Amino acid sequence: MNLLPSAATLAALVKIGLLVGGLMTAAAYLVLLERWIAAWVQDRRGPNRVGIPLTKIRLFGLGQPLADGLKIILKEDFTPSHVDRVLYNAAPLVILAASLAIFAAIPFGSVLPPLGIPGLPDPVPFLVAPGLDVGVLWVFALSSIAVYGVLLGGWASNNKYGFLGGLRSSAQLVAYEIPLGLGLLGVVLAAGSLRLDTIMNAQAESGVWYAFAQPLGFIVFMVASFAEAARLPFDLPEAEQELVGGYHTEYSGIKLLLFLVAEFLHMITAAFLIVILFLGGWHLWGVTGSSQEIGWIQALLRFGILSGKILGVIVFFMLVRWSWPRFRFDQLMNLAWKVMLPLGLVNLVTVATVEEFRPQLVAALGPGFAHAVAIALPWIACLAGWLVAGVFTPSGTDNTPILTHDPLDIERELAEHERLERSPHDVSPTLAGSR
Amino acid sequence: MDPVAATTLPIPGLLLAGSVAALAASLWLLLPKTSDTVNSRRLGFLLGAAALIGFAATGRSLGGVGEDAVFLTVAGIAVISGLATIVTRSPVYSAIWFAMALAGVSGVLLVLGAQFLGVATIVVYAGAILVMFLFVLMLAQPSGMAPYDRVSNEPMLAAAAGAVLLGLLTLSIGRLSAAEPPACCRLPSRAQAMAAAPTEGAGSEDDRSATLLAPATAGVESVDADEVAHLGAELFGRHLFAVEVAGVLLLVALVGSIAVVSRGEATETDHRRESR
């Protein structure tokens, strides 16, 4: 038996190490970035004091993540006596493991030029599991596993806030998985593959990012991934003003840290997916080229462009957080089922039609004009869908109470009043019915 | 019972019968009943472990169990979580063990190279159906359930039937894998398939459907990408009718559930009208 790991295994381990290390550092510094942006939006200074320890050098507060991390790790890890211990301990592990395992299928660059190491595929892809052909589904599967962490954490805490947070979150995540999947399907249909790197390559080769070819799908996917990452305006699972801390109310110390890191990883995953599926991945016109045979400079350039785009999307996430108020739960569900789901279907049908008749279009109109039509049609569908959704506003709610009787009917009001005084706990059906 | 020693046993049939009996007894002892003692549960666990070892040994002597450590691990997770699903008292834990069993099954499918099925198992069952299950269970307050809902119906019959079924399956699958499979059903190993893929690429109907469905994947991908396309072509080609019927059935179920809910609301408005 050969105990030495093969070159491919070693390469995978190196990639895993780089990815996990990079993600954890990125999560820590993104918290700092989020606090800076929050401070900027609210016109205050934000964290700017912690610099190099034991000196007076401030470094714009860049030492803050280190101090935050040390503080939360060294805090007492208190387990309340009323919790279900097994699930209470398992929940943070489940959510973090699932959100890290997602990155096995997510490419974080294009390819490295051939290294000439025997046993390694040439060129080396920036991807931990290059053999996985159903990368999109893998991401989808593991993000639905992450729901378990939230649900179990909330239930095991045996606390009403935690429980409500867990329930809200599971309902929200299950509901928004459908528009998310519909937005995704359009891209999969156009690229003809479930592999994320193939999807990026397809955009690089045609030069048309799917955000331009499928604007409606982009909008639907973007909104759904905000909801999946449970960011404002969709952060109902942990709405502070209503639920204290939501599903992690009872958690403290390192377990709370695991939950918070997992939440940030969800946002980073969402940013990765938005960039890879809709914003061209590592492709930028005239800079990166589109072939797979590249030199070192181009490889690093592609990595940098992908990272820059992801950072841009994350900054957008953070700006949105401080720009929109939170949805109410019924508005959230109405948006998912009455707006996003139909819009996603419209997008899917449009994309399917365009892809089906593309050869005929090219034959009839010539390649240039045909591609212009193939881009124009989804934009028309997008505008039409948006207009219909805006005019009929199915997500709007009428808050005026439903009156089942004439409010000026004094005799009836008196009778009702008397009845209530006789049995105060028996709420009248008319009052219960008026919302 | 040592599995290595068991491979040299002359009569795997005897071993199999013993394992079936042990499994039936263990299941009967472990299934939730009204009268349970700690000792009976302990005995049940011991018998169950012995039965599992016996089944593994039978499988090996019949030639149905591979050597791959990853496969054995995920298969073990699937079987043990499946057993735990039915013997656990708490419905929430039961659902979580079921999710573990699904994860094990998906691991088996991944090891066998059926990537799409493996990941789809997680997406559909663990990710969607079971989450709704847990949702309902947690809302339904498991501790407040009536005693007749917390014990299993007919534990003895169920345990015996399950054990016998497992024994028969072991026997038949072991025989099948021991015999040379007929040419139609022989699956090429992954390495063979990879080697054969470029030469088989010309002309057949499967190839046409694959290129129809996955235009961008030709050449660069391994055979598994085509496998997804094949699956899609099969589902929406030969089995189109079944897929459509299943879809309509689900739609009917959806409409039915909405009808049930809205009837509830209608009675409320009736009530309101009465009180008017």
Side-chain angles (χ1 to χ4, degrees):
Chain A
M1 200 174 148
N2 188 10
L3 284 177
L4 276 178
S6 68
T9 316
L10 274 181
L13 285 177
V14 168
K15 284 178 203 164
I16 292 172
L18 283 178
L19 196 59
V20 171
L23 282 175
M24 288 302 174
T25 318
Y29 274 90
L30 286 176
V31 173
L32 182 64
L33 182 67
E34 172 140 43
R35 294 176 66 181
W36 276 346
I37 289 181
W40 175 65
V41 171
Q42 296 166 354
D43 200 13
R44 54 187 172 85
R45 284 181 190 274
N48 61 355
R49 304 221 162 200
V50 187
I52 299 169
L54 304 178
T55 61
K56 298 214 167 191
I57 305 167
R58 281 187 177 176
L59 272 180
F60 322 106
L62 281 174
Q64 187 75 36
L66 195 69
D68 281 348
L70 275 177
K71 178 190 150 209
I72 202 165
I73 288 171
L74 293 178
K75 265 195 171 179
E76 184 188 359
D77 181 14
F78 181 74
T79 307
S81 60
H82 53 74
V83 300
D84 182 326
R85 269 175 193 277
V86 179
L87 294 183
Y88 180 84
N89 291 326
L93 298 180
V94 170
I95 193 169
L96 187 70
S99 29
L100 274 177
I102 287 179
F103 284 92
I106 295 185
F108 50 99
S110 173
V111 287
L112 274 183
L115 298 170
I117 301 172
L120 272 190
D122 277 334
V124 184
F126 274 93
L127 180 61
V128 173
L132 194 68
D133 291 315
V134 288
V136 172
L137 280 181
W138 172 265
V139 172
F140 218 64
L142 280 166
S143 65
S144 59
I145 289 296
V147 183
Y148 279 89
V150 176
L151 199 53
L152 294 182
W155 186 75
S157 295
N158 196 8
N159 165 310
K160 62 185 171 195
Y161 298 120
F163 184 57
L164 280 175
L167 284 186
R168 274 187 182 188
S169 135
S170 59
Q172 172 180 334
L173 297 188
V174 170
Y176 274 91
E177 254 172 32
I178 299 165
L180 192 79
L182 284 175
L184 206 76
L185 270 182
V187 170
V188 171
L189 208 61
S193 171
L194 289 170
R195 292 183 63 115
L196 288 168
D197 45 354
T198 314
I199 290 173
M200 282 202 288
N201 291 343
Q203 293 177 77
E205 270 161 30
S206 69
V208 181
W209 299 353
Y210 288 132
F212 302 117
Q214 308 177 11
L216 197 53
F218 179 54
I219 292 168
V220 169
F221 188 85
M222 179 88 117
V223 171
S225 53
F226 267 80
E228 287 284 308
R231 297 280 303 181
L232 263 171
F234 299 100
D235 72 334
L236 281 99
E238 44 173 323
E240 292 94 346
Q241 293 85 347
E242 304 158 26
L243 296 180
V244 190
Y247 58 90
H248 52 56
T249 303
E250 294 286 4
Y251 284 87
S252 59
I254 187 119
K255 289 190 198 118
L256 180 65
L257 179 70
L258 295 188
F259 268 119
L260 297 181
V261 168
E263 270 174 19
F264 248 85
L265 284 179
H266 283 155
M267 186 179 72
I268 299 175
T269 314
F272 260 98
L273 285 181
I274 289 171
V275 168
I276 288 174
L277 294 172
F278 287 99
L279 296 178
W282 44 259
H283 177 253
L284 193 67
W285 305 282
V287 181
T288 55
S290 62
S291 92
Q292 291 290 70
E293 282 132 27
I294 54 171
W296 278 99
I297 297 174
Q298 250 185 343
L300 292 179
L301 203 61
R302 286 178 181 184
F303 176 73
I305 285 175
L306 182 68
S307 312
K309 281 182 186 173
I310 287 162
L311 189 67
V313 173
I314 288 176
V315 168
F316 177 67
F317 264 85
M318 290 172 178
L319 283 177
V320 165
R321 171 171 180 175
W322 300 109
S323 313
W324 266 273
R326 180 182 301 129
F327 281 110
R328 217 171 48 208
F329 199 75
D330 58 327
Q331 294 170 332
L332 179 91
M333 284 296 153
N334 278 341
L335 185 69
W337 294 104
K338 296 183 183 168
V339 180
M340 286 303 149
L341 180 65
L343 286 184
L345 285 173
V346 167
N347 175 62
L348 189 63
V349 170
T350 317
V351 171
T353 314
V354 166
E355 292 301 318
E356 178 67 26
F357 293 108
R358 192 186 284 271
Q360 282 93 319
L361 271 179
V362 172
L365 302 172
F369 195 55
H371 287 310
V373 170
I375 291 174
L377 273 180
W379 276 96
I380 294 169
C382 176
L383 284 179
W386 207 242
L387 274 179
V388 170
V391 168
F392 292 100
T393 54
S395 66
T397 29
D398 184 9
N399 287 332
T400 49
I402 304 166
L403 291 176
T404 53
H405 57 272
D406 181 10
L408 296 177
D409 187 355
I410 304 291
E411 272 174 33
R412 197 193 163 285
E413 288 290 307
L414 280 176
E416 180 76 0
H417 190 71
E418 255 172 42
R419 198 184 67 76
L420 269 182
E421 284 207 327
R422 268 202 310 278
S423 53
H425 298 295
D426 178 22
V427 179
S428 99
T430 50
L431 284 183
S434 62
R435 290 174 279 202
Chain B
M1 218 180 292
D2 186 12
V4 182
T7 49
T8 54
L9 260 182
I11 321 160
L14 210 60
L15 185 63
L16 187 63
S19 323
V20 168
L23 184 69
S26 133
L27 277 180
W28 181 68
L29 285 171
L30 284 177
L31 278 175
K33 294 187 296 294
T34 41
S35 56
D36 277 331
T37 62
V38 180
N39 277 334
S40 75
R41 283 181 72 81
R42 277 190 194 142
L43 184 64
F45 277 122
L46 279 181
L47 274 176
L52 282 186
I53 293 173
F55 270 113
T58 320
R60 280 193 67 162
S61 65
L62 286 172
V65 178
E67 298 275 328
D68 189 10
V70 181
F71 173 79
L72 287 180
T73 314
V74 287
I77 289 176
V79 171
I80 291 171
S81 319
L83 287 177
T85 306
I86 54 171
V87 302
T88 314
R89 259 54 172 181
S90 156
V92 170
Y93 273 84
S94 214
I96 290 161
W97 277 116
F98 186 41
M100 286 285 288
L102 288 171
V105 169
S106 131
V108 170
L109 290 171
L110 283 179
V111 169
L112 294 177
Q115 292 184 353
F116 180 79
L117 281 183
V119 179
T121 307
I122 297 268
V123 173
V124 175
Y125 288 99
I129 295 180
L130 213 59
V131 167
M132 295 316 288
F133 237 70
L134 264 180
F135 191 90
V136 173
L137 284 178
M138 288 177 175
L139 272 180
Q141 290 288 332
S143 55
M145 237 185 238
Y148 52 80
D149 268 346
R150 298 167 63 99
V151 297
S152 54
N153 297 333
E154 301 287 350
M156 195 183 289
L157 274 181
V164 168
L165 180 66
L166 191 58
L168 287 177
L169 282 177
T170 310
L171 200 64
S172 55
I173 292 172
R175 285 232 175 101
L176 276 184
S177 62
E180 179 71 12
C184 68
C185 315
R186 204 179 297 141
L187 289 172
S189 74
R190 200 183 152 88
Q192 281 170 347
M194 295 277 254
T199 54
E200 278 177 3
S204 71
E205 196 202 338
D206 286 349
D207 186 57
R208 190 180 58 85
S209 56
T211 42
L212 260 182
L213 280 164
T217 62
V220 199
E221 313 293 335
S222 66
V223 277
D224 286 321
D226 291 336
E227 183 208 32
V228 177
H230 282 174
L231 192 69
E234 278 287 306
L235 276 181
F236 292 99
R238 198 196 296 178
H239 303 290
L240 180 64
F241 186 68
V243 169
E244 292 293 330
V245 167
V248 171
L249 209 64
L250 286 175
L251 189 67
V252 168
L254 191 70
V255 172
S257 63
I258 290 172
V260 169
V261 170
S262 60
R263 199 195 301 155
E265 267 184 14
T267 52
E268 192 184 304
T269 45
D270 290 348
H271 197 64
R272 236 186 259 169
R273 239 173 255 136
E274 277 168 27
S275 73
R276 194 177 259 194

